[in-house]
């Protein structure tokens, strides 16, 4: 809600200062590009974290809320310790993805005491590809709209 109010104030200020109404779609595109670049930065950060992990075998234990997280996540047991997954657990097909006592390959991040399961690895890879393509396409579209390209 606050975002809508801020956007309306910026729009009214721009129009009061003499900006043309045609600037509104360009402002929206610039905002979307910034948002896409932030998402791309998140996936870069996740990929760097993933690159610094070690491969281990672990067993799925339960789904619960980790201490520092605000969402439900899968917990895996490696040795005698339980570690939460980096990303939230899937809601759709939960019974097919998270099978109790199933041994699976994990990527262990020892610095944060978290694991990347197969879903998290796929999310990072696909998110990196899709967010980068989306950001580049949106930038090229903006350049076409403003007449640079």
């Amino acid at each position: 809600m606050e975002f809508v109010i801020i956007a309306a104030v910026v729009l009214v200020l721009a129009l009061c200062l003499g900006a043309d109404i045609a600037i509104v779609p360009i402002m929206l595109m610039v905002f979307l590009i910034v948002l896409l670049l932030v998402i791309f930065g998140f996936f870069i950060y996740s990929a760097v974290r993933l690159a610094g992990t070690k491969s281990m075998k672990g067993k799925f234990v339960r789904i619960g809320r980790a201490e520092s997280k605000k969402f439900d996540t899968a917990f895996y047991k490696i040795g005698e310790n339980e570690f939460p997954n980096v990303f939230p657990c899937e809601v759709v097909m939960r019974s097919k993805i998270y099978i109790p006592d199933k041994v699976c390959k994990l990527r262990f991040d020892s610095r944060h005491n978290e694991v990347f399961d197969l879903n998290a690895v796929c999310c990072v890879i696909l998110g990196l590809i899709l967010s980068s393509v989306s950001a580049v396409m949106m930038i090229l579209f903006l350049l076409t709209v403003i007449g640079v390209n």
Side-chain angles (χ1 to χ4, degrees), residues 48-65:
V48 168
R49 274 188 64 188
L50 183 60
T53 61
K54 327 186 260 194
S55 182
M56 299 187 131
K57 291 207 182 247
K59 185 169 33 169
F60 172 74
V61 181
R62 65 184 171 89
I63 292 177
R65 191 165 295 203

Side-chain angles (χ1 to χ4, degrees), residues 36 40 127-137:
L36 284 170
F40 179 65
L128 196 59
I129 293 168
L130 293 175
S131 65
S132 63
V133 168
S134 298
V136 167
M137 290 178 69

Side-chain angles (χ1 to χ4, degrees), residues 33-119:
I33 288 171
V34 169
L35 191 63
L36 284 170
L37 290 174
V38 167
I39 293 170
F40 179 65
F42 166 75
F43 285 115
I44 288 283
Y45 169 74
S46 297
V48 168
R49 274 188 64 188
L50 183 60
T53 61
K54 327 186 260 194
S55 182
M56 299 187 131
K57 291 207 182 247
K59 185 169 33 169
F60 172 74
V61 181
R62 65 184 171 89
I63 292 177
R65 191 165 295 203
E67 297 166 7
S68 61
K69 309 262 186 200
K70 296 181 180 178
F71 49 80
D72 286 343
T73 186
F75 281 83
Y76 293 91
K77 192 169 193 171
I78 299 175
E80 295 299 317
N81 300 322
E82 274 188 17
F83 299 102
N85 192 11
V86 173
F87 292 140
C89 64
E90 299 295 327
V91 177
V92 180
M93 295 177 47
R94 186 179 276 190
S95 62
K96 303 243 189 259
I97 295 173
Y98 304 110
I99 301 168
D101 298 326
K102 179 184 177 187
V103 176
C104 51
K105 281 187 174 181
L106 303 169
R107 304 292 302 182
F108 179 63
D109 183 4
S110 59
R111 213 178 333 167
H112 295 97
N113 286 329
E114 293 177 325
V115 295
F116 288 84
D117 63 2
L118 181 61
N119 294 328

Side-chain angles (χ1 to χ4, degrees), residues 9-20 23:
V9 168
V10 168
L11 176 64
V12 168
L13 281 174
L15 292 175
C16 288
L17 293 174
D20 190 15
I23 197 90

